[in-house]
Amino acid sequence: MQTEKLTKSAIIVNAIGASVAMAFSAVALIDPTLAVTGGADSAGVDMYAQAYAARAIPLGAALLFSLTSRHKRGLLPLLTVSGAVQLGDVAIGATQGVPGMMVGGTVLALIHLATAGQLALGRNRDVAATA
């Protein structure tokens, strides 16, 4: 099996990004009005915070585990999915008028997808070298 190589800085930046997403979702569970512009308090806001945490915490935990494990199995798809999820957050933030969600989602999507691209290019180079 091919070993996926990442720089220490790429691992750290992605780990920080995953941790920030997880922490924000945990904070939103405690006070859902922090996640929504205007601080509207309703059942919809509570449901949004719960849905966000249900996705962000396990995905972030899986990404952190994969980033810190010796063998980076599954890291490319996890980074790709994490980046796609952040792009979804950007779209939601844009339609709901939540600038922080747009900015944060864009930054995290760029980090995760750029790292996934780095891994994919490394794999292609390894395949070409063995051919």
Side-chain angles (χ1 to χ4, degrees):
M1 174 173 181
Q2 175 241 320
T3 303
E4 298 175 5
K5 307 268 187 201
L6 279 182
T7 63
K8 216 171 223 190
S9 60
I11 291 170
I12 291 168
V13 169
N14 278 278
I16 290 170
S19 298
V20 166
M22 292 169 58
F24 186 77
S25 70
V27 168
L29 278 175
I30 295 165
D31 185 358
T33 60
L34 294 174
V36 178
T37 304
D41 192 14
S42 71
V45 173
D46 288 342
M47 187 198 72
Y48 164 77
Q50 292 167 8
Y52 179 62
R55 176 260 302 160
I57 293 171
L59 182 58
L63 184 55
L64 284 172
F65 175 80
S66 188
L67 285 165
T68 57
S69 67
R70 175 180 282 206
H71 301 289
K72 307 286 188 234
R73 293 185 186 111
L75 185 56
L76 179 58
L78 275 170
L79 285 165
T80 304
V81 168
S82 295
V85 164
Q86 292 300 330
L87 290 175
D89 284 351
V90 172
I92 293 167
T95 60
Q96 299 299 313
V98 184
M101 198 172 187
M102 291 184 286
V103 172
T106 299
V107 170
L108 293 177
L110 287 172
I111 290 168
H112 296 322
L113 294 174
T115 306
Q118 176 188 357
L119 285 176
L121 287 174
R123 282 184 174 178
N124 290 339
R125 285 189 200 118
D126 288 347
V127 169
T130 60

